[in-house]
Amino acid sequence: MLIPYIALATLGASVASALTADMMVNREISSLSSLFGLAILVLIGQVIYGAFTCYRYFLAADHPQASFGELFKNTFKLGKNLFGKTIKTYLKWYILPVIIFALLAGLITNTNKGMTSIEILSILSIVFVIYAIISSTIVLGELSNHYLDYNSNVKYEDNSVVYES
């Protein structure tokens, strides 16, 4: 679990230092658009990494005697085999609602001005947070179903797990 956080902290520190140096030299932030592009790339990377490793707890619960190396290797193998189903689940429950929320927020801020837009965005944000909590539970259930369906196709040899690819 520490690998993505260390990578993000390193990337964030390097971007912050690059922006600070750019601002000190040019007296303005000229690389704001590249920062936005980098943020999108990091988000896509996080989604892909999450899709490969989201089954780690299911795998660890089914095989508590497995070593860290075996779990690490089998987590990525399992993530690779279930990648398509996982991305469809993420797309349906996370990515599309975020895009819809962003579009609605942009539409609201462009059409309404002042306190009205803040009030509508506040209500929309509260609704979105409630949706995020509920959808997280639903996504966990769908991921569990994907894992159980896949696990029924796993062959066992001498009490060791052999994953089909």
Side-chain angles (χ1 to χ4, degrees), residues 18-36:
L19 284 175
T20 303
D22 186 44
M23 192 171 84
M24 293 174 79
V25 170
N26 297 330
R27 304 255 185 228
E28 64 181 38
I29 300 177
S30 61
S31 7
L32 196 57
S33 61
S34 62
L35 177 64
F36 184 68

Side-chain angles (χ1 to χ4, degrees), residues 59 62-63 77-78 81-82 85 144-157 160-165:
L59 197 60
D62 277 351
H63 309 288
K77 188 180 288 187
L78 180 65
N81 292 339
L82 293 175
K85 289 181 179 183
S144 175
N145 286 339
H146 297 326
Y147 176 73
L148 291 174
D149 290 343
Y150 178 82
N151 202 22
S152 66
N153 295 328
V154 172
K155 296 178 184 176
Y156 292 90
E157 295 176 4
S160 64
V161 180
V162 178
Y163 291 97
E164 296 176 349
S165 36

Side-chain angles (χ1 to χ4, degrees), residues 34-80:
S34 62
L35 177 64
F36 184 68
L38 185 63
I40 289 174
L41 285 176
V42 168
L43 181 66
I44 290 170
Q46 281 293 104
V47 168
I48 291 171
Y49 179 79
F52 277 110
T53 61
C54 64
Y55 299 100
R56 64 187 173 268
Y57 298 118
F58 302 125
L59 197 60
D62 277 351
H63 309 288
Q65 74 284 357
S67 69
F68 174 77
E70 290 173 358
L71 285 175
F72 189 77
K73 181 180 79 170
N74 289 335
T75 296
F76 279 98
K77 188 180 288 187
L78 180 65
K80 181 187 77 156

Side-chain angles (χ1 to χ4, degrees), residues 90-149:
Y90 281 0
L91 186 66
K92 180 172 63 173
W93 291 103
Y94 290 146
I95 298 170
L96 259 93
V98 166
I99 291 171
I100 291 170
F101 175 76
L103 290 174
L104 284 174
L107 182 67
I108 289 169
T109 55
N110 285 337
T111 57
N112 298 317
K113 300 295 179 203
M115 291 304 288
T116 306
S117 108
I118 293 173
E119 291 168 354
I120 295 172
L121 280 176
S122 297
I123 292 170
L124 186 63
S125 297
I126 290 170
V127 168
F128 188 73
V129 167
I130 292 170
Y131 169 79
I133 293 168
I134 293 170
S135 69
S136 295
T137 306
I138 294 170
V139 166
L140 189 60
E142 281 194 23
L143 292 177
S144 175
N145 286 339
H146 297 326
Y147 176 73
L148 291 174
D149 290 343

